[in-house]
Amino acid sequence: MTAADRFRAAVDSRDTTALEALFTEDVRLYSPVKFTPFEGRPMVLGLFGVLLRTFEDFSYVGQYAGTAETSVDGTVSPSEVLLFRATVNGKAIHGIDLLHYAEDGRIKEFTVMVRPQSAVHALGEERPHTGRIRALRQRGEAA
């Protein structure tokens, strides 16, 4: 089973413990609703906890593998793109998760892109169960 397969299985089962083992300690997550990345495994796992509750009817619908430059240092690393569809606040969204792997096969960089633009706004909206995002915003860590 590849890292992408294990990632997909963890997301499908909403298992943040399984996700933890897949991320490097210094993982960076680039979100469509924030200009700067979320950095570090604890921050990224906290965000995933929120995202897994926010997305409705989430499913991966495709996958591509190759290599790509990372955002942090421009090094080329093995990478995979996972295509997904979901619903957020009643709005259908399409998106991709771009995974960059470290030498040990764990995820070192993660970029999320979604469409349409209204989906980005839906992701950024406050919902009653997004207290973690609200706390991050209050500390100036989220846009």
Side-chain angles (χ1 to χ4, degrees), residues 24 27 30 67-71 75-80 98-102 105-111:
T24 61
V27 64
Y30 293 87
T67 60
E69 286 186 9
T70 61
S71 297
T75 59
V76 175
S77 71
S79 305
E80 292 191 69
L98 172 58
L99 312 175
H100 291 283
Y101 300 110
R106 291 182 299 154
I107 300 166
K108 69 176 181 177
E109 189 173 294
F110 190 102
T111 302

Side-chain angles (χ1 to χ4, degrees), residues 20-72:
E20 183 174 4
L22 295 172
F23 294 135
T24 61
E25 186 62 39
D26 60 348
V27 64
R28 298 165 70 94
L29 186 143
Y30 293 87
S31 163
V33 298
K34 186 174 177 289
F35 286 107
T36 57
F38 292 92
E39 297 184 59
R41 190 182 314 158
M43 182 68 68
V44 170
L45 286 171
L47 181 61
F48 262 94
V50 172
L51 292 175
L52 292 174
R53 289 187 304 269
T54 300
F55 284 118
E56 304 157 15
D57 304 321
F58 186 93
S59 66
Y60 284 110
V61 296
Q63 183 171 337
Y64 299 95
T67 60
E69 286 186 9
T70 61
S71 297
V72 69

